[in-house]
Amino acid sequence: MLLTMGDAAGIGPEIIFKAFDGGHLQGCVVIGDVDVLRRAGSALTEPLPAHLVARIDSPADLAAVPPGCLPVLQPADWPAGLHLLPQGAIDGRNGAAAARCIEAAVHLVQAGQGVAIVTAPIHKEALAAAGVPYPGHTEMLQALATSAQAGATPPPVRMMLANEELRVVLVTIHLSLRRAIEAVTFDAVLQTLHIAHQAAAAWGQTRPRMAVAGLNPHAGEGGLFGDEERHIIGPAVQAARAQGLDASGPFAPDTVFMRARRGEFDLVVAMTHDHGLIPVKYLGVEQGVNVTLGLPFVRTSPDHGTAFDIAGRGLADPSSLVSALQMARRLSAAGSVRT
């Protein structure tokens, strides 16, 4: 399993070392900066010695890593001095390095040298400062998934945030709210339902009960508060049902998540980023996992960001990363989440 370091100025390196110290990184190779990870280990409440970070050149070298050492693959042409940059600050050099880690991980998993990718948090402004043309992990992974195939169309992907109580799949992700509403189309909703339905087999549900959340208050209230439910979302749900999917809705978005949590539905499809993610994160970010559905490989991540406000202080909680590692192992064992 491949684990990318994330933004060097954030809590990614710290939670990686805490997960390692807790015995959760068996069989994992970290892709990142050796010195940054050594800095993270030295900042723990009980500092870990630098020699516990072992640099390797390939995942094939994992078997030769001494017991109790963290294997780190530092990509070629790596920028020097990242460990000297301040923590908790946006820097394009860290954004470029984070992108390089992601690129290396995809290349390795495509070459059969990894079974899954788990990504520590990146900072979107740092990516932009580095000139990376993607707003986040999901879009970058989507593009990289076909980068080796000339003329290939990137696979349709969707973000799912999940914990033990709730699974939510999003129709739109990193867009302004105005643009996200414009992106809620019949095809987008129907495609999301198909991606979610097909991916559910990876966690043991061959015919998941999918609830579709509306876009407007009270799901439009019969057109009084908006007509997207009547003209876009509802027809997409009807089409999905006609194609054999167990989809229902659209339901009022302020209550459908409670209904799913109580067991009435297996997952909820939400129209926009915050509509869908707030309910899951409210239940506790320490257990939440972000899963990218539709890729030709398994990818998970913690459901939190870089937490620049506490970076370098030894306060970060690795629980969500541990959950992401467990989810990646489970999905890898089940096959894949590709459509």
Side-chain angles (χ1 to χ4, degrees), residues 134 138-147 149 151-158 191 294-296 339:
Y134 307 105
T138 304
E139 297 86 353
M140 187 175 184
L141 289 163
Q142 180 185 32
L144 291 172
T146 54
S147 61
Q149 305 171 32
T153 301
V157 300
R158 293 297 187 272
Q191 186 179 66
L295 291 171
T339 58

Coordinates of all heavy atoms in Angstrom, one line a residue, residues 134 138-147 149 151-158 191 294-296 339:
Y134 N -5.0 21.5 -10.9 CA -6.2 20.7 -10.3 C -6.5 21.3 -8.9 O -5.6 21.6 -8.1 CB -5.8 19.3 -10.2 CG -5.3 18.6 -11.4 CD1 -3.9 18.4 -11.6 CD2 -6.2 18.4 -12.5 CE1 -3.5 17.8 -12.8 CE2 -5.7 17.8 -13.7 CZ -4.4 17.6 -13.8 OH -3.9 17.0 -15.0
T138 N -9.0 14.7 -5.9 CA -10.0 13.9 -6.7 C -9.7 14.2 -8.2 O -9.6 13.3 -9.0 CB -11.4 14.2 -6.3 OG1 -11.6 13.9 -4.9 CG2 -12.4 13.4 -7.1
E139 N -9.7 15.5 -8.5 CA -9.5 15.9 -9.9 C -8.1 15.5 -10.5 O -8.0 15.1 -11.6 CB -9.7 17.4 -10.1 CG -11.1 17.9 -9.7 CD -11.3 18.1 -8.2 OE1 -10.3 17.8 -7.4 OE2 -12.3 18.7 -7.8
M140 N -7.1 15.6 -9.6 CA -5.8 15.2 -10.1 C -5.7 13.7 -10.3 O -5.1 13.3 -11.3 CB -4.7 15.6 -9.0 CG -3.3 15.4 -9.4 SD -2.1 16.1 -8.2 CE -0.6 15.8 -9.1
L141 N -6.2 12.9 -9.4 CA -6.2 11.5 -9.6 C -7.0 11.0 -10.8 O -6.6 10.1 -11.5 CB -6.7 10.8 -8.3 CG -5.8 10.9 -7.1 CD1 -6.6 10.6 -5.8 CD2 -4.6 10.0 -7.2
Q142 N -8.1 11.7 -11.0 CA -8.9 11.4 -12.2 C -8.1 11.6 -13.5 O -8.1 10.7 -14.4 CB -10.1 12.3 -12.2 CG -11.0 12.0 -13.4 CD -12.2 13.0 -13.5 OE1 -12.0 14.2 -13.0 NE2 -13.3 12.6 -14.0
A143 N -7.3 12.7 -13.6 CA -6.5 13.0 -14.7 C -5.3 12.0 -14.8 O -5.0 11.5 -15.9 CB -6.0 14.4 -14.7
L144 N -4.7 11.7 -13.7 CA -3.5 10.8 -13.8 C -3.9 9.4 -14.1 O -3.1 8.6 -14.6 CB -2.8 10.9 -12.4 CG -2.1 12.2 -12.1 CD1 -1.6 12.2 -10.6 CD2 -0.9 12.4 -13.0
A145 N -5.1 9.0 -13.8 CA -5.6 7.6 -14.0 C -5.5 7.3 -15.5 O -5.4 6.1 -15.8 CB -7.0 7.4 -13.5
T146 N -5.5 8.3 -16.4 CA -5.4 8.0 -17.8 C -4.2 8.6 -18.5 O -4.1 8.6 -19.7 CB -6.7 8.5 -18.5 OG1 -6.9 9.9 -18.2 CG2 -7.9 7.7 -18.1
S147 N -3.3 9.2 -17.7 CA -2.2 9.9 -18.3 C -1.3 9.1 -19.1 O -0.6 9.6 -20.0 CB -1.4 10.6 -17.1 OG -0.8 9.6 -16.3
Q149 N -2.3 6.7 -21.1 CA -3.0 6.2 -22.3 C -3.4 7.4 -23.3 O -4.2 8.2 -23.0 CB -4.3 5.6 -21.8 CG -4.1 4.5 -20.8 CD -5.4 4.0 -20.2 OE1 -6.5 4.0 -20.9 NE2 -5.4 3.6 -19.0
G151 N -4.9 9.7 -25.7 CA -6.3 9.9 -26.2 C -7.3 9.4 -25.3 O -8.5 9.4 -25.7
A152 N -7.0 8.8 -24.2 CA -8.0 8.2 -23.3 C -8.8 9.3 -22.6 O -8.3 10.4 -22.3 CB -7.3 7.3 -22.3
T153 N -10.0 9.0 -22.3 CA -10.9 9.9 -21.6 C -10.8 9.6 -20.1 O -10.9 8.5 -19.7 CB -12.4 9.8 -22.1 OG1 -12.4 10.0 -23.5 CG2 -13.3 10.7 -21.3
P154 N -10.6 10.6 -19.3 CA -10.5 10.4 -17.8 C -11.8 9.7 -17.3 O -12.9 10.0 -17.8 CB -10.4 11.8 -17.2 CG -9.8 12.6 -18.3 CD -10.4 12.1 -19.6
P155 N -11.7 8.7 -16.4 CA -12.9 8.0 -15.9 C -13.8 9.0 -15.1 O -13.3 9.9 -14.4 CB -12.3 6.9 -15.0 CG -11.0 7.5 -14.5 CD -10.5 8.3 -15.7
P156 N -15.1 8.8 -15.2 CA -15.9 9.6 -14.3 C -15.7 9.1 -12.9 O -15.8 7.9 -12.6 CB -17.4 9.3 -14.8 CG -17.2 7.9 -15.4 CD -15.8 7.9 -16.0
V157 N -15.5 10.1 -12.0 CA -15.2 9.7 -10.6 C -16.2 10.6 -9.7 O -16.7 11.6 -10.1 CB -13.8 10.0 -10.2 CG1 -12.8 9.2 -11.0 CG2 -13.4 11.5 -10.3
R158 N -16.3 10.1 -8.5 CA -17.1 10.8 -7.5 C -16.5 10.6 -6.1 O -15.8 9.6 -5.8 CB -18.6 10.2 -7.4 CG -19.4 10.4 -8.6 CD -19.7 11.9 -8.9 NE -20.6 12.1 -10.0 CZ -20.3 12.1 -11.3 NH1 -19.1 12.0 -11.6 NH2 -21.3 12.3 -12.2
Q191 N -25.4 9.5 -13.5 CA -24.1 8.8 -13.5 C -23.6 8.6 -12.1 O -23.0 7.6 -11.8 CB -23.1 9.7 -14.3 CG -21.8 9.1 -14.4 CD -20.8 10.1 -15.2 OE1 -20.5 11.1 -14.7 NE2 -20.5 9.6 -16.4
G294 N -14.7 5.2 -8.8 CA -14.6 5.3 -10.2 C -13.2 5.2 -10.7 O -13.0 5.0 -11.9
L295 N -12.2 5.3 -9.9 CA -10.8 5.1 -10.3 C -10.5 3.7 -10.6 O -11.1 2.8 -10.0 CB -9.9 5.7 -9.3 CG -9.9 7.2 -9.0 CD1 -9.0 7.5 -7.8 CD2 -9.3 7.9 -10.2
P296 N -9.5 3.4 -11.4 CA -9.1 2.0 -11.7 C -8.2 1.4 -10.6 O -7.6 0.4 -10.8 CB -8.4 2.1 -13.0 CG -7.8 3.4 -13.1 CD -8.8 4.3 -12.4
T339 N -15.6 1.6 -11.8 CA -16.9 1.4 -12.3 C -16.8 0.4 -13.5 O -15.8 0.2 -14.0 CB -17.5 2.7 -12.9 OG1 -16.6 3.3 -13.8 CG2 -17.7 3.7 -11.8

